[in-house]
Amino acid sequence: MYTIVVANQKGGVGKSTVACNIAVAFALESYKVLLIDADTQESSIGFRAIREKDDIVAISIPKPTIHKDINGFTNYDIVIIDVGGRDSAVFRSAIMAASNGLLLIPTLPSVYDIWATEDTLRVLEEARTFSDIKAYILINQVIKANIVKEAENTLQDLAKQYNVDILNSQLFSRVVYRNSIKEGLGVIEMNDIKAKIEIENLVKELKEKLQNLSN
């Protein structure tokens, strides 16, 4: 069983959208998927409630016991945790749970969002004093292919400082991400080929990272 924790203290970076799309993509590959919503807003729980297919199990754990509870879900192949965007005991517990797999940190390609992401990286740094946690930054909601150079440099500096990697995969800002969530679908199930390829590439890269943990 592997765990993917999707977290960033910065709001509005698309954590729940990323978590739900990853969950759907793994489920469509016949993985047994558990989606844990650790946010009191319960966006992922809401997504599962309107999803017609019964290929994803979703539960809510808005308590600082996630890193302990995770050990009881070994009957799943992939556990995806969507955690709220603020520093709390629950947030820190979810970060600790990433020691069973990896931490995925979505961020927008702007200097302000990247600066705000450092708060999450500081929590990660503290958590690493207790456990080895692999962490990766996902650039999300890209508006155009060329990210502002200043933002790119800032992100690379932070990644180096906190020993995290930046994924090659990127998700672009597309209406289909918003529309699919409202229908209980992943973009991989929609008719937007570009968005589908983005998610497929992301999941492929995540699978490679998880496979490396076993080697």
Side-chain angles (χ1 to χ4, degrees):
M1 182 268 290
Y2 291 114
T3 302
I4 298 175
V5 178
V6 184
N8 192 331
Q9 287 185 37
K10 176 69 172 66
V13 297
K15 295 182 295 293
S16 295
T17 299
V18 170
C20 291
N21 271 283
I22 291 173
V24 169
F26 274 107
L28 291 177
E29 292 188 27
S30 299
Y31 285 79
K32 293 181 180 179
V33 179
L34 174 64
L35 181 58
I36 297 178
D37 197 328
D39 190 349
T40 53
Q41 293 183 359
E42 296 192 338
S43 298
S44 291
I45 289 291
F47 170 80
R48 177 62 189 92
I50 61 176
R51 182 169 176 79
E52 293 185 2
K53 291 184 179 179
D54 292 326
D55 53 354
I56 296 171
V57 175
I59 62 174
S60 176
I61 307 181
K63 300 178 180 179
T65 57
I66 302 170
H67 64 293
K68 298 177 181 179
D69 299 337
I70 199 74
N71 297 319
F73 301 123
T74 55
N75 53 324
Y76 293 95
D77 302 313
I78 295 287
V79 177
I80 298 168
I81 302 174
D82 174 19
V83 62
R86 61 190 174 281
D87 191 1
S88 65
V90 175
F91 184 88
R92 290 170 179 263
S93 177
I95 297 295
M96 288 296 297
S99 60
N100 292 285
L102 61 85
L103 172 63
L104 182 62
I105 308 171
T107 186
L108 305 192
S110 76
V111 173
Y112 294 116
D113 284 278
I114 293 168
W115 282 344
T117 296
E118 187 170 10
D119 292 336
T120 299
L121 296 175
R122 290 193 188 100
V123 175
L124 169 63
E125 189 173 50
E126 293 177 21
R128 279 175 165 169
T129 63
F130 299 99
S131 183
D132 180 27
I133 300 173
K134 305 298 182 184
Y136 302 90
I137 293 173
L138 169 67
I139 303 175
N140 191 28
Q141 298 181 24
V142 178
I143 296 177
K144 56 183 180 180
N146 295 324
I147 298 173
V148 177
K149 192 65 177 178
E150 183 181 1
E152 182 180 358
N153 291 340
T154 301
L155 185 58
Q156 289 176 349
D157 288 344
L158 276 181
K160 183 178 181 180
Q161 178 182 347
Y162 289 95
N163 190 28
V164 300
D165 290 330
I166 302 171
L167 293 179
N168 294 322
S169 305
Q170 295 182 359
L171 303 183
F172 281 68
S173 179
R174 304 184 191 278
V175 175
V176 68
Y177 282 101
R178 295 188 292 275
N179 291 343
S180 61
I181 290 294
K182 293 186 293 186
E183 297 181 28
L185 299 171
V187 296
I188 203 168
E189 299 171 295
M190 304 290 280
N191 293 322
D192 191 311
I193 299 300
K194 291 182 178 180
K196 180 178 180 179
I197 291 174
E198 287 172 10
I199 292 297
E200 287 177 341
N201 288 340
L202 172 59
V203 170
K204 180 181 178 181
E205 191 169 5
L206 292 175
K207 286 163 64 177
E208 290 172 352
K209 302 299 183 186
L210 292 172
Q211 185 62 41
N212 288 339
L213 297 176
S214 303
N215 297 333

